Every structure is written in structure tokens, then in C-alpha cells.
Amino acid sequence: MAASLCVRARYGLSAHFLRLRGQSASSHSQQLTSPSPVQNSVNVSQTENIVIPLKKKRSATAILQALASTVKRDPNSPHYKYIDDPFLIPASALSKRTYALSKESGQKAARFVLENYSMYFNTNPAEPPIKDFMPPKVSYNYNEPSESALLERIERRRVNDAVDVYKQIKQKRLDLSEETCLKFLELLCVYNAEDPPKIMMQEEFFFRRELGLENKKPVKTWKDNGLAERVFDDLKTKTPQSYEHLIRGMARHLQTDKAFQLYDEMKEKKMTVGVLTYNELICAASFHKDTYDTKWQQVQHILMDMQLAGVRPDLATFNGVLYTLNRMNMYNQSPILAMQTLCEMRKVGIEPSLASWNYMLFLFYPKESSESNMLHKIMDELEGRTFEMRDPKDEEFFFNAMKRCYLNLHDLELAYRVDNLVNTGNNAQLLGDSRLQSFYYSFFVRLVCMFETMDRVMEVYQRVTPHLFTPNHLVLHELLKAIELQDGFQHLPLIWTDFILFEFMQNHDLLEKLLELMAKRKQEPELQSQYVHIAGQFIERWKDEQEEGRPASLSTATMISHIITIAENGDNHDLAWEAFDIYHNNKNMFAGSVSDDAIQKLVKCSIKLNKGDQVVTALQFMEATEMPGVSDLSSFALENDKLTLTQSQKDTLSRF
């Protein structure tokens, strides 16, 4: 055995050497099969012949894929679409969407010019020419009604134009081949006799839910007794292919009754049915019958028919079964049937996709109160693996997995496992659109804020923001709560800068909570000076907003109270008095009333700094608003030797 390995190694090396020397393939094979002294010393029958391919087949993008595999996602770097101008890199959710959609709008404008003024674009610099990048032909090669004209419109997927030509052909009683009629029928069934909607640009699709373009709930849209059914009836020979086109069209557009009637006709005529048609019928079964039992019986009948016909199921078949069970998630047998479906997938050698596991999550966690260890088992199965898109629903798995970690299980360790899987290979590409990504990171960061130490919370927070995720108000509320509970007040200046960066200056609840935490107690001099600087920024922003007529970020008396406290804790009495003066002169612009503690602290500091006029003004305000402690403060002011008062001021204070 050792000698055999030596022979293989020797001849493998020599063949490699000869290939480098540029010798022909025939010389390779001749040298590999010719005897040698070493071969004579071993059993020739035990020696394997090695055939070295002259060329390894690679895809057209193999080199690009190899280069891309060396670069990992950098959470601290913005997406490539945002880096045209570093100064304009967006951070807030609104600015990201606006920036991305603006670029798409420019591309749509260019496409519009290309389509409507194609006569001015005669030069094609691409070699070889790329047809899809060139202006589409607006005119047709065949304008008169004929079979060629109909085929041309079918090929371009111009449904309305194809319908017009077909009607003209019928009026003139021209002949059409069965093959052309089948193609026309397929076009009508796929698009339900309507022009397909314009394909959304990449960013429009990414933000489709925020733009109100998300898919609506499935409803019946099939046109009963429409042109598709008439074309089918006019066919001289109704082939299995024609039946399948019509069945798939009806099932896809939820005309389930007629779809299953045609399917029964095919079985009566003993026609062969393809796997695509079976898949559509399985998905439509959940819309067909009334009760859960009858729906599942319908699925079972279809699967039995597939087995009897010898049709091998594919991934879409089993995902269709799981989809139907998912629509019956309140059926008590659905989880058991789903597990049996997964077992069948393994038996036939089909690996479940992320969509398959996503359906399992819905079945085992139908409510927020549902508890199960299914997600743990799924992660045991998927951990460390990389995935590619195999089903349109694959992109919903990570969002739903993190949602179950947060809402159902409150399991931080499991959430870390899900996040590690997302960051394995290129799995992050399957996070879905902007809405799903936002929810994914929102659940993850909120869970971290609930259970992790403050240092770890900030580590995760700074890793995912602002480029991977722009936090929403729920995340920031949880973050402020974690700072309060874990005494992480040193992070508040960073949170303030993020409020500005993420454009949260009109979220008064968050701003009020931030000021409340900064006013909670006096901090170290350096940190307290940062707090005072932030309080001063609030005042300056309020002045700018008043001049420009913009909505004020400083809008409640409680926020004024916190600013007074922060300023006095930082020995900045002038800022505290400026905040009080703004409130005193603009009461109607602020909701609520300034707190007793803040005004009393303001009065005591005014006495300490020998500000007699401020003492009188503040005490008059306290009396007018019926605050407690006015008489005590006035007595304290009159008896204080450090406070210099005029006789008029003393008379005023003595009346309190």
C-alpha cells in the first residue's frame, strides 16, 4: 500500500512537471501508463491510473467570487452605495432611504431617456455587445397581424399587445399553429392576461414596505371565463402541457375550484403532470377546502398522486407543504405533520432551505407566549454553515429567529448564536429588505440591553450602528434604561451625539429621558462639564428653532427643570437662569410646570452668588404658581448676610 502511494505521488508530480513544460496530453497519458522500475516492484493491478484534466471548468465570475471571499463585511464602514461623497454619508433611517432612492431615481430617469429617445444612442462601446444594456426597441418588426407578430410580442412579454394581435388574427380568421397557441396560453396564464408590473429597481424593492409597495394578502385575482380559458377551449388538441399552463395560472391566482377540476380531468384522461403543477396545487390547497382536515387530505392526495406517477418531489414541493401547514398553524396536528415532512425531505435527499426552517418557527411559535425548544434544535442543525437563496422566503428566517429569541424565549445566548450564523460567510445577504433588517437588529440590541453588562451593551451597540442599523426609539429607550440600571452615565454624551446623528431631536420622550438621567445626580467634574455643554446645546437649538420657525426640540417644562439641575450641578448658574428665563417668558410654549426642586435649587444658588433681582423674580414665580416653600426661602434670603438687597427688594420678600 505504501509503495502504491509512492507510485501515485511520483507520477502525479512528474505529470504536473510535464504539464508545466507544455507537453501534449498524449505524452501525459503515455507516461502515466508506461511501466517503470518502481511499478515493476508492486502489483500493477492495485495501481490506479490518474487522469489529469487539461482544463478545470470554472464559471465566468469565479475569479470575482474568489476575490470577494477574501473580503468580509466591515460593520464600521458604510454600504458601498453611500460612499460617493464622504461628507454626505447618511446615518438616519430617513436619510439612508432618501439617499438610496435618489440614486435609483437618477437611474430610472436615465432609463426613461434611453427608452424614449433610443434613436440618439447609436454607438455601442461594449465588445461583445450586451443586449440588455442597449435601448429596447419600441417598434416591432412585424406590425401586421400574423403568427410572427404574435410570437414577437410573446417573446417580449407584451401581454396587451399580444392580445390585440391575437384578436385581429381571429377576426381575419388566420391560422395559428398549436405551438404558438400554447405559448400564448402560457403568457396569459402567467400574467393573468395583463401586462406584467414594472420591475422595481433594487432600492425600491429594498424599501418596498416603507413605500407601501409590499405584497398584499393573497386574494383571488383570476379572470373567470377570460381570454385564457377561451384560448384553452379553442385548442384542437388539449395536451397535458396546455392543461398544466391553465392549472398553474388558476392556482397561482387562487381560482382553486377550477384548478382542481382541471386536475381531476387530467387524472381521468391519465395525462402526465409535471412537478411544477403539483407544487402550485399544493400551495393552493390551503385556499381550497373549508376545514383543516379537508385541506390536509387534499395535500395528501396530491402527494400520493405524485408517488403513483413516479414524479420526484423537489424543494418547492416540500416548502409548499410547509406553507400550507403554516396557513393552518392553529391546526393541532400541524407541528407533527411538519416534522414528518422534514423527515421525508431527508429520506429523498433534499436539504431544507432557510424558508423550510422559517415555516417551522411559525408552526412551533404561533403566539408570543408560545414556548418550545425548536429554535435550539434548528440552530444545532444550521450553526457554522453558509447559505444561498433557494426560496423567496429564505430571507425571512433570520428575522423570525431573532424575534423568537426576544419575544418568546428571552434567550440571549441563543440570540448570539443566531447573530454568529448571520455573520458566517455571506449569510448576511439573506437578512432581507430594510424592514426585516431593522427588526432583526432591533430585537437583538434590545435583548442585549436587557441581559448584558454595560460594557458589552455598548460594544454591540457601537458595532451595529450607524451603518448596519439605525436604532429606533424602542432600542434607544432600552439603551437608556440599561444605562440607568447599570450606572453607565459616562455613555450619555455619546448617546446625545447619536440622537443628533439619527435625527431624533423631535422625539421629546427620548430627549426628556436623556436629560433626566443627566440630572439624576452630580457626576465627576469632566463628565459633568460635558453634561453642561449638552444642556447649553439644547438652549442654543431652541433659539435657532424659534428664529427659523421650526418645531422646538425643547418643548416641556420638565426638560427645563432638568437643564436647570444639570447647569447648577456643573456650577453654571448663568445657563440655569437662562433656561428659567426662557420658560418664564414663554410659558405657553412649554407643556407642564417647572419642578419645585429645580426652582428651589435655582433660588439657593442665586442667594449664594448675591443675585438679589433673580431671587426676587424666582420667588415671585413660585408664589404665582403656588409652589411650596416660598416663605422659608424668603426668610432664608432676608437672613443671609451674603445677599445684598435693596429696600424695595426686602419689602417684597417680607410680604411672602
Side-chain angles (χ1 to χ4, degrees), residues 322-344:
L322 293 173
Y323 169 77
T324 299
L325 291 172
N326 185 40
R327 287 186 50 81
M328 307 189 308
N329 61 349
M330 302 308 295
Y331 183 41
N332 57 1
Q333 295 297 314
S334 289
I336 300 174
L337 297 173
M339 293 298 295
Q340 294 175 355
T341 303
L342 285 180
C343 293
E344 288 296 324

Side-chain angles (χ1 to χ4, degrees), residues 133-358:
F133 287 174
M134 292 302 294
K137 292 183 179 180
V138 178
S139 59
Y140 294 105
N141 296 326
Y142 302 96
N143 295 318
E144 296 298 324
S146 64
E147 184 170 358
S148 298
L150 181 59
L151 286 172
E152 183 181 18
R153 285 149 181 80
I154 292 173
E155 183 180 355
R156 297 189 187 183
R157 294 178 176 81
R158 300 293 182 94
V159 181
N160 291 338
D161 293 346
V163 170
D164 292 339
V165 170
Y166 179 79
K167 290 180 178 178
Q168 295 176 26
I169 291 175
K170 283 298 182 182
Q171 289 176 356
K172 294 185 178 182
R173 297 183 179 180
L174 301 177
D175 293 333
L176 288 175
S177 66
E178 289 291 311
E179 183 180 359
T180 301
C181 290
L182 278 177
K183 290 182 178 180
F184 183 57
L185 176 62
E186 183 181 13
L187 181 74
L188 295 175
C189 293
V190 169
Y191 297 111
N192 198 16
E194 294 180 350
D195 271 337
K198 290 185 178 181
I199 299 176
M200 284 188 285
M201 302 287 281
Q202 179 180 358
E203 297 303 329
E204 285 182 315
F205 186 79
F206 189 71
F207 294 103
R208 64 188 183 276
R209 289 181 173 88
E210 296 182 29
L211 296 172
L213 302 175
E214 71 273 13
N215 295 328
K216 299 179 180 178
K217 292 183 179 180
V219 294
K220 175 191 167 186
T221 56
W222 179 258
K223 296 179 179 179
D224 291 322
N225 302 317
L227 183 59
E229 296 183 36
R230 295 200 299 271
V231 171
F232 176 78
D233 293 336
D234 291 342
L235 291 174
K236 296 178 181 178
T237 304
K238 294 181 174 55
T239 62
Q241 190 178 8
S242 63
Y243 271 99
E244 287 190 287
H245 288 330
L246 193 58
I247 290 173
R248 289 202 295 267
M250 289 179 172
R252 188 177 296 114
H253 297 96
L254 299 186
Q255 174 48 283
T256 57
D257 293 337
K258 290 186 177 180
F260 280 100
Q261 287 177 7
L262 290 173
Y263 174 62
D264 292 337
E265 285 185 24
M266 291 189 71
K267 291 196 295 183
E268 291 175 1
K269 296 179 180 180
K270 298 183 179 179
M271 292 181 173
T272 58
V273 182
V275 66
L276 295 179
T277 304
Y278 282 123
N279 294 346
E280 291 290 349
L281 289 172
I282 289 172
C283 292
S286 61
F287 300 92
H288 183 49
K289 298 293 184 179
D290 294 331
T291 65
Y292 290 150
D293 288 325
T294 54
K295 291 176 189 291
W296 179 245
Q297 289 172 6
Q298 187 75 54
V299 172
Q300 285 182 308
H301 291 157
I302 297 172
L303 294 174
M304 289 297 296
D305 292 342
M306 291 182 68
Q307 183 181 12
L308 293 175
V311 177
R312 180 179 175 82
D314 57 12
L315 176 64
T317 306
F318 290 105
N319 279 352
V321 175
L322 293 173
Y323 169 77
T324 299
L325 291 172
N326 185 40
R327 287 186 50 81
M328 307 189 308
N329 61 349
M330 302 308 295
Y331 183 41
N332 57 1
Q333 295 297 314
S334 289
I336 300 174
L337 297 173
M339 293 298 295
Q340 294 175 355
T341 303
L342 285 180
C343 293
E344 288 296 324
M345 292 179 73
R346 293 295 171 82
K347 286 181 180 179
V348 299
I350 296 177
E351 183 67 24
S353 69
L354 290 180
S356 311
W357 300 116
N358 186 52

Side-chain angles (χ1 to χ4, degrees), residues 417-440:
R417 293 176 65 188
V418 174
D419 191 60
N420 288 335
L421 182 61
V422 168
N423 292 295
T424 300
N426 293 322
N427 291 345
Q429 295 178 357
L430 299 177
L431 275 176
D433 59 25
S434 65
R435 179 174 173 270
L436 295 181
Q437 289 188 19
S438 177
F439 280 139
Y440 171 85

Side-chain angles (χ1 to χ4, degrees), residues 19 134 140 187 232 251 270 361 372 510 554 562 585 608 614 628 641 654:
R19 185 174 60 210
M134 292 302 294
Y140 294 105
L187 181 74
F232 176 78
K270 298 183 179 179
L361 291 179
S372 171
L510 284 175
L554 190 62
H562 295 325
N585 297 324
K608 181 180 179 181
Q614 293 182 3
D641 297 334
S654 62

